[in-house]
């Protein structure tokens, strides 16, 4: 069995996921996980699937052929099972500013905290006149102490930043 991770970007239109799932299914692949969204008129995402070795070459060729339909894909073979250590979730809310994701990711990296998943938005803040930044970050930490130190570092980024950590 081989596992693949494929990143996809194409113009947003109905049927993108159907095209991918049909291709993977037709080639005897098993869709295991994915995350997709529409951003600025583009549809982008990532999918993980597994397939028998005998069908691997066929699915790679079929995926590559999608480039002719306007898809941009990056195909990578998986490197084994993910770590099973527990994850924690960090919720962050505050005034949006240029560089906030860089500052957040730097604070986490300095404390050797691995980002598993990051979801963020910037939306108008009611009654403030600016934008409100919201992020949910799923992480794996080497220790509880590292997580507490990272929380302090995150809260130091801005005096209005609210950081809540749910331990996994």
């Amino acid at each position: 069995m081989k596992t693949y991770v494929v990143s996809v970007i194409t113009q947003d239109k109905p049927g993108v996921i159907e095209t991918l799932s049909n291709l993977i299914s037709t080639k005897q692949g098993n869709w295991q996980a994915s995350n997709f969204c529409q951003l600025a008129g583009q549809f982008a995402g990532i999918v993980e699937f597994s397939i028998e070795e005998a069908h691997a070459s066929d699915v790679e060729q079929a995926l590559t052929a999608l480039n002719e339909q306007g898809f941009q894909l990056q195909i990578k073979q998986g490197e084994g099972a993910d770590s099973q250590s527990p994850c924690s979730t960090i919720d962050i809310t505050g005034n949006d500013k240029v560089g906030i994701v860089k500052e957040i990711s730097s604070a986490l990296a300095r404390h050797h905290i691995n980002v598993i998943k990051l979801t963020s938005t910037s939306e108008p803040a009611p009654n403030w006149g600016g934008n409100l930044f919201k992020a949910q970050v799923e992480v794996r930490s080497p220790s509880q102490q590292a997580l507490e130190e990272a929380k302090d570092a995150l809260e130091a980024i801005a005096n209005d930043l609210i950081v809540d950590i749910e331990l996994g």
Side-chain angles (χ1 to χ4, degrees), residues 40-162:
Q42 298 295 307
F43 194 71
I46 191 162
V47 61
E48 174 188 353
F49 68 94
S50 61
I51 191 162
E52 294 290 336
E53 298 249 355
H55 301 287
S57 177
D58 289 344
V59 79
E60 286 181 31
Q61 289 175 1
L63 286 166
T64 302
L66 289 177
N67 288 321
E68 296 171 11
Q69 296 177 33
F71 285 72
Q72 295 176 22
L73 297 109
Q74 179 121 61
I75 305 165
K76 295 289 183 178
Q77 190 169 337
E79 296 179 2
D82 291 333
S83 170
Q84 296 303 312
S85 63
C87 290
S88 298
T89 302
I90 302 174
D91 290 307
I92 302 168
T93 305
N95 286 327
D96 195 10
K97 65 177 185 174
V98 173
I100 193 165
V101 173
K102 176 201 159 299
E103 292 179 42
I104 290 168
S105 60
S106 293
L108 295 172
R110 277 193 313 276
H111 293 89
H112 306 286
I113 294 176
N114 190 25
V115 174
I116 305 302
K117 182 177 183 179
L118 169 83
T119 305
S120 67
T121 61
S122 179
E123 53 197 53
N127 305 320
W128 290 5
N131 281 340
L132 189 63
F133 174 82
K134 292 182 180 181
Q136 187 172 63
V137 190
E138 188 176 324
V139 300
R140 283 203 177 94
S141 176
S143 68
Q144 176 66 32
Q145 181 179 347
L147 239 129
E148 291 300 323
E149 291 171 359
K151 180 179 181 182
D152 292 342
L154 290 169
E155 289 175 338
I157 290 171
N159 61 2
D160 67 340
L161 210 56
I162 299 167

